[in-house]
Amino acid sequence: LVFGTQVLPDDLHLSDPAGPKDGDQLSLIVSLAPCGIYKSEISEVGHGPAADNTWIIATADFSDHGEFTITMEESEITSDDEDDDYDPYEERAAWDHCYRGTVQMDGSDFRMTITSMERKGIFDDKLRHGDELLGKLGHNQVELQLPFAAGRCNSGPGPGLLWITLVQDISLEDPRPSGTKESL
């Protein structure tokens, strides 16, 4: 809510003498949050998202209730010898992550607060529950600042928080209720 040019705090009590009085006009400003499934798959040899020879499949699912689920599958070519006992997750060559939480909008920018996470592989970051990731809403796409683990063995900006663009997967979304879809 906005009172004049002042954004009112979430915990404001109307009995607060510094706040609005009976009869004052308040403005409600609503920012649309991302909704739907967004995807990115980057596997171009020599031009990975975190470094050369890195790959990622990222999916972000935003509910209409302001919640998100982000899944990431990363891999990196390393100089490790691969034998029968080779585990890419233990050798820092593969990582799977899943983050869940809530979205808070500020215009087209948003913050994603992590409420739960599952990760497989060795991660160097100190990401915890309650930490925030950033995002920007665009036309049929979102830009997300995500935690990359890949990039240790090859030249590039990773590992760390990096920006990546995910495109809305229209084929998985159909806003019409079931039973109203037209025959093809």
Side-chain angles (χ1 to χ4, degrees):
L1 287 176
V2 177
F3 175 54
T5 59
Q6 177 186 6
V7 177
L8 298 175
D10 291 339
D11 59 351
L12 176 79
H13 293 277
L14 293 177
S15 60
D16 185 344
K21 308 288 183 258
D22 189 25
D24 285 344
Q25 187 171 6
L26 303 176
S27 299
L28 176 64
I29 298 175
V30 177
S31 295
L32 293 177
C35 188
I37 298 172
Y38 297 78
K39 290 186 169 191
S40 181
E41 182 173 347
I42 302 173
S43 59
E44 187 176 333
V45 176
H47 301 288
D52 293 343
N53 299 318
T54 63
W55 292 264
I56 182 160
I57 298 172
T59 303
D61 186 355
F62 294 94
S63 77
D64 55 0
H65 306 316
E67 299 170 331
F68 72 88
T69 299
I70 295 173
T71 57
M72 300 172 63
E73 297 175 37
E74 290 184 80
S75 63
E76 178 172 14
I77 294 176
T78 65
S79 58
D80 298 329
D81 294 327
E82 297 183 22
D83 57 16
D84 291 339
D85 296 326
Y86 180 77
D87 182 350
Y89 294 98
E90 291 298 320
E91 299 296 332
R92 295 180 181 261
W95 302 264
D96 293 340
H97 351 196
C98 180
Y99 305 96
R100 290 181 178 84
T102 57
V103 177
Q104 294 177 307
M105 295 300 298
D106 183 13
S108 62
D109 296 336
F110 57 93
R111 294 185 319 267
M112 300 174 289
T113 304
I114 299 170
T115 57
S116 69
M117 61 186 195
E118 300 167 28
R119 307 203 297 178
K120 181 178 180 182
I122 299 173
F123 293 82
D124 292 333
D125 65 42
K126 305 294 182 212
L127 201 60
R128 305 268 184 251
H129 296 96
D131 285 351
E132 292 182 343
L133 302 172
L134 303 177
K136 297 178 183 185
L137 180 60
H139 180 68
N140 291 333
Q141 69 180 32
V142 291
E143 292 180 55
L144 302 179
Q145 185 185 45
L146 298 177
F148 282 79
R152 297 176 54 84
C153 295
N154 296 281
S155 63
L161 289 174
L162 303 173
W163 286 92
I164 184 172
T165 300
L166 287 77
V167 178
Q168 190 166 27
D169 191 342
I170 306 293
S171 67
L172 298 177
E173 295 295 311
D174 190 340
R176 296 172 290 180
S178 65
T180 63
K181 298 177 184 174
E182 299 169 357
S183 300
L184 297 177

